[in-house]
């Protein structure tokens, strides 16, 4: 019985290592493909030219901490100006996704605040009267 448990534990360890190796290869391939994609490079350039949407990041952080009814006009206008600098509508959404992910990585927004930030980011182009009216932003949360 003891041998079976040891063999089972070793098998699980090998399976886990194999899965880890496979997933790291897939991630590397994905990154390599993204780096070669002209669309991704164009979006990255536009994101940099728009100061990495810092005003949007600040607006989203503040908005997630206050009631939805409170207006933050100066910050939203600066954010809209930066979003407008990004010409490609798809790149606007990608930029907003990067901003949300950056905020999530700090670990300071969780629960209701995180949900508020995500909803606000999705609706920002419409609020700024830019296309698309809404971005579908999906983030991957890390549990490690």
């Amino acid at each position: 019985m003891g041998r079976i448990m040891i063999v089972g534990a070793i098998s699980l360890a090998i399976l886990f290592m194999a899965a880890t190796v496979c997933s790291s290869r897939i991630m590397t391939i994905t990154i390599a493909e993204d780096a070669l994609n002209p669309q991704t490079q164009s979006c990255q350039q536009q994101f940099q030219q728009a100061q990495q949407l810092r005003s949007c990041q600040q607006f989203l952080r503040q908005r997630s901490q206050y009631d939805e009814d409170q207006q933050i006009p100066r910050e939203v206008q600066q954010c809209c100006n930066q979003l407008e600098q990004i010409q490609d509508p798809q790149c606007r959404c990608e930029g907003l996704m990067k901003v949300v992910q950056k905020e999530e990585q700090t670990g300071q927004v969780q629960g209701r605040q995180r949900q508020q930030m995500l909803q606000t980011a999705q609706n920002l182009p419409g609020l700024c009267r830019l296309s698309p009216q809404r971005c579908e932003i999906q983030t991957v949360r890390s549990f490690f």
Side-chain angles (χ1 to χ4, degrees), residues 9-24:
I10 291 172
S11 297
L12 282 175
I14 291 171
L15 183 61
F16 177 74
M17 288 189 309
T20 303
V21 169
C22 289
S23 67
S24 65

Side-chain angles (χ1 to χ4, degrees), residues 17-39:
M17 288 189 309
T20 303
V21 169
C22 289
S23 67
S24 65
R25 284 186 184 156
I26 292 170
M27 184 175 290
T28 304
I29 291 168
T30 302
I31 291 169
E33 287 175 359
D34 283 348
L36 297 174
N37 184 346
Q39 175 71 20

Side-chain angles (χ1 to χ4, degrees), residues 1 3 35 44 61 66 74 79 99 104 109 127-128 136:
M1 185 67 157
R3 279 188 164 161
Q44 184 64 25
R61 186 181 312 127
Y66 300 111
R74 191 180 97 242
C79 173
V99 167
E104 284 181 334
V109 289
L127 181 66
C128 296
E136 289 301 320

Side-chain angles (χ1 to χ4, degrees), residues 62-72 112 116 120:
Q62 290 175 349
R63 186 64 178 245
S64 70
Q65 295 171 355
Y66 300 111
D67 285 337
E68 207 170 303
D69 296 335
Q70 285 183 296
Q71 293 295 318
I72 313 172
R112 189 177 85 59
Q116 173 78 21
T120 303

Side-chain angles (χ1 to χ4, degrees), residues 41-64:
Q41 290 176 347
S42 174
C43 286
Q44 184 64 25
Q45 286 175 335
Q46 291 180 55
F47 183 66
Q48 294 298 329
Q49 288 173 346
Q51 292 118 24
Q52 297 180 342
L53 300 176
R54 286 189 187 103
S55 292
C56 294
Q57 183 176 358
Q58 183 178 5
F59 169 71
L60 290 170
R61 186 181 312 127
Q62 290 175 349
R63 186 64 178 245
S64 70

